[in-house]
């Protein structure tokens, strides 16, 4: 028996890097895979791990490099990691794969927003019409509108009980996949209003000084009701996509709110 | 025991409607759900189907209505269906849900293309860097770039054997979720080239007089190689998302390439 | 420029084959991919389709072969298709990939059922407890319990209107992914009852002479209420996974309810 | 404007609880959702978080309760959480939803294994036949065979560099979704061999004293080659589904390898 597939690695390291220069933030959002190939016979055959770099170490390296060297093009960032890993003793070849997720700067009126972003195009329009002999209800909406703001969002003053470990924060990332639906006033017939609803939601998200997800959710709903007389009622869902600042102190690095592990939690 | 959830229906009817007026095509892409609620006790308790409109009939009605009445806003189209279904004997309430999938007109240079479309934003950038002590290979790409052209695509002259039923066609919809990746020439360092690759792929897709998926795939790859000296080699995947013209003759309707059942096949 | 990836094919052909010998049915459930590789230069470069077997023909061949030759092991069925396709003019290599989905015969008491089947293990238990200061409600359930019966299911006598094309049938496949949830009587504390609910649902599904999905749904709910005194109320969802008999007459073959295209519709 | 949906919560807390009594382990695998509803007007309208229990605290509570009170039925565990949360100041109603994922004890010969488990039924058989004019290759396999062992797995002695934070461990959970495929010797025709391959893989996984994932992967491949003369070559993929022991010290609790956060990483 011959060992012919002597490779292993770490998949799906979710890295978000924010640069905050001058208040005009930029965001890079990567999913990184690391694969090492080499003379790992002793690892596989004997259970001797002296040449087996832990996949956890690979993950740490991705986050530390993002802080130390910055995130330039995915090609250059991938190669920087590859150069690092082939210096390992048993490694013959390193393969770094990156998927870059696109973010566009949100526009407010004619202006590009300095720290609010949207994933272009993924959202879809929804409509539910319910009709009986005597009544019709028209509910329209949108789903999967993915947005992020890299500052102007905090969460503090919440209750602390025996199970509370979360620290107060006055500056965190706020990212969410927005779902909204609203009911039209009886008789309303201009459904192109949905464009104004969408714009109002985005602009309020961008502008709001957020003290919690709920706080911004309410402000967004309120803004739509105020801006659109034909909207009777609106329901919003803003599930938090947590972005956890990575603790880099073990590597002698600080992390001034720049390097995040992105979770895609519902 | 009381029957309290007396409702049923048809989910996920995939409708694509093309309007071809004057050569400037427009596309509407809907997923439609139909739910009927009413006095269906005999259906559930006795197996008497006299009041049980078949879900297959609901599906047919969606396609026939698209041809007969056109597809205006999702709200109006949904309500037209609802009005129809509550006229059924046992139906008390009809609920029609529509998700509208967004398509944007493709731009070629400064011009909006008359019959080529793109789903905005869903695509992502990819990179794979493979490095050994002596060699580095940089492969970049994009994935999930969803495009459609509503004419200028045919497929005919293929072999006919005992299992062939497909008719020749000179005018069909060509839709695909494009994946591409290419290798950079050794030493190339300007990875912003990917924008030019993407644009070249889109413009060739739009402009090509397609005799088969393979024919267009080759033309797209060729165009990239011609336009980008730093691209050594390109691999393309264009899985056909079939759009089947719906046969409406049973309902006394023709279908001049306007009403399609969309499949999301790989 | 050299053409180096000259291959194409048809993915995800969903084949279900029922053998009905002696009333003890057997079921084979395959997803089949066909890939052809060869001298397709003219197809790609010139748009000449004389060597381009249509992917639609590949799909037809899968269904026709299932009828003509039966479905033995996936290995033998795949190779039979491969032998057929490499006889095509330009084909150098045919690759047939099959995924076989597992079905187990349903047991009723100690006996194996002749024509009712279950996908082993995919289902999960669910619970929702809702509590306020004054009230607690305990709702348990199961989801994704995938079952099929290959006879003893019909659908006829439904209304026929201008949009009805579905024929009456007295013998069709009934397949579904079952979701159920039920509320326990106040004070009930023996939640191992869920095993009896599950068994009752399965046995009723298997035994019921089904005149419609709704008819069987009601019978299943009724049976649980009758068998389990601690169940106050039950909600069931049985979305039809249609299995369409494939029309093989164009290939000179009948189809006595044996070869089906499986859809995974919600 | 009236606030009518004043609820929020934490979704998808992934809890695995191992009981190790007497060496015969038991496993419970839950996904838990917490939803609180109540008088949260000040949270939403004013950004005052005094009544807004952090969702992070909800997650901590789930893990701490699993350690403090054990995991009995999902119904009782859910209600215990609900009772806790409605004691919060502003909470009127707590809704706890649990999905329980099924694990079955692995059998080795006639015996139930004390600490190896399998998710029943989710795996599927695969086959790829590749044929040219002169050659046929038959490759069979299985995918999505989800297994776990709750002891007899360690990982230590791996290289420590500047980015290494992982501690050596001699006792961790080893869980994976196994994919395997193997090539048959030319001329082999008894494809029922796959059952023996599957059994050999499972029994080796259960019995192996694992020093790393790679170490067990090799042992499993070796065992198949030794047991099945008609298997020429086997490829295995065992992506680690990490189970992270939850640090409960902040809550005054130890965690003797019993309470885990399950990740579903690829």
């Amino acid at each position: 028996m011959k060992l012919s597939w002597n490779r292993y690695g770490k998949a799906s390291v979710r890295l978000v890097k924010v640069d905050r220069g001058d208040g005009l933030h930029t965001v890079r959002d990567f999913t990184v895979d690391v694969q090492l190939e080499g003379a790992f016979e002793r690892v596989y055959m004997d259970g001797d791990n002296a040449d087996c770099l832990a996949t956890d170490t690979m993950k740490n390296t991705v986050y530390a490099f993002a802080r130390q060297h910055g995130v330039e093009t995915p090609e250059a960032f991938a190669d920087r990691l590859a150069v690092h890993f082939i210096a390992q003793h048993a490694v013959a070849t390193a393969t770094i794969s990156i998927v870059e997720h696109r973010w566009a700067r949100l526009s407010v009126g004619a202006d590009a927003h300095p720290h609010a972003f949207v994933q272009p195009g993924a959202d879809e329009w929804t409509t539910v019409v319910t009709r009986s002999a005597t009544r019709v209800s028209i509910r329209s909406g949108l789903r999967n509108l993915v947005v992020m703001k890299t500052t102007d969002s905090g969460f503090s003053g919440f209750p602390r009980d025996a199970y509370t470990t979360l620290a107060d924060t006055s500056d965190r990332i706020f990212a969410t996949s927005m779902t909204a639906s609203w009911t039209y006033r009886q008789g309303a017939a201009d459904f192109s209003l949905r464009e104004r609803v969408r714009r109002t939601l985005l602009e309020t998200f961008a502008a709001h000084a957020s003290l919690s997800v709920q706080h911004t959710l309410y402000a967004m709903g309120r803004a739509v009701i105020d801006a659109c007389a034909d909207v009777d009622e609106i329901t919003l869902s803003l599930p938090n996509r947590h972005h956890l600042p990575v603790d880099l102190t073990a590597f002698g690095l600080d992390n001034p709110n720049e390097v995040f592990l992105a979770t895609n939690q519902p």
Side-chain angles (χ1 to χ4, degrees), chain A residues 19 26 36 50 60 73 115 132 136 144 148 162 168 170 174 182-184 205 210 217 220 233 240 243 261:
Chain A
D19 288 316
T26 56
L36 304 184
N60 289 342
T73 62
H115 59 253
S132 65
V136 60
N144 201 31
M148 165 159 52
D168 280 8
S170 61
F174 180 3
W182 54 89
T183 307
Y184 288 102
F205 174 81
S210 174
L217 180 152
M220 290 166 68
E233 170 266 334
N240 210 342
H243 283 66
L261 181 165

Side-chain angles (χ1 to χ4, degrees), chain A residues 6-165:
Chain A
N6 40 5
R7 76 184 184 200
Y8 75 104
K10 179 75 179 178
S12 296
V13 180
R14 291 283 294 112
L15 165 68
V16 168
K17 177 70 166 51
V18 179
D19 288 316
R20 297 174 180 274
D22 297 340
L24 184 73
H25 295 190
T26 56
V27 165
R28 306 303 294 272
D29 187 346
F30 287 0
T31 298
V32 183
D33 289 11
V34 177
Q35 285 277 329
L36 304 184
E37 200 163 348
F40 296 130
E41 279 75 8
R42 286 185 305 164
V43 177
Y44 282 83
M45 299 172 75
D46 308 330
D48 173 348
N49 294 320
D51 288 331
C52 182
L53 195 71
T55 60
D56 186 73
T57 301
M58 300 178 195
K59 182 190 68 181
N60 289 342
T61 308
V62 170
Y63 291 116
F65 271 40
R67 173 66 183 134
Q68 283 183 285
H69 308 291
V71 173
E72 54 285 268
T73 62
E75 288 85 357
F77 187 70
D79 194 37
R80 188 184 296 278
L81 288 164
V83 167
H84 172 79
F85 287 121
I86 58 168
Q88 294 283 328
H89 180 250
V91 177
T93 308
T95 302
I96 314 294
S97 306
I98 293 179
V99 177
E100 178 169 13
H101 313 288
R102 296 151 60 104
W103 290 95
R105 206 171 282 282
L106 229 159
S107 304
V108 177
D111 299 323
H113 197 277
H115 59 253
F117 302 86
V118 61
Q119 280 201 343
D123 56 309
E124 299 183 308
W125 296 111
T126 60
T127 299
V128 181
V129 173
T130 308
R131 180 178 275 276
S132 65
T134 56
R135 201 174 172 287
V136 60
S137 143
I138 299 182
R139 182 164 200 90
S140 293
L142 52 82
R143 65 178 193 189
N144 201 31
L145 179 56
V146 180
V147 291
M148 165 159 52
K149 55 195 292 186
T150 49
T151 189
D152 213 10
S153 163
F155 186 54
S156 59
F158 46 86
R160 308 199 75 84
D161 67 16
Y163 304 105
T164 304
T165 54

Side-chain angles (χ1 to χ4, degrees), chain A residues 104 136 157 224 248:
Chain A
V136 60
V224 170
L248 303 172

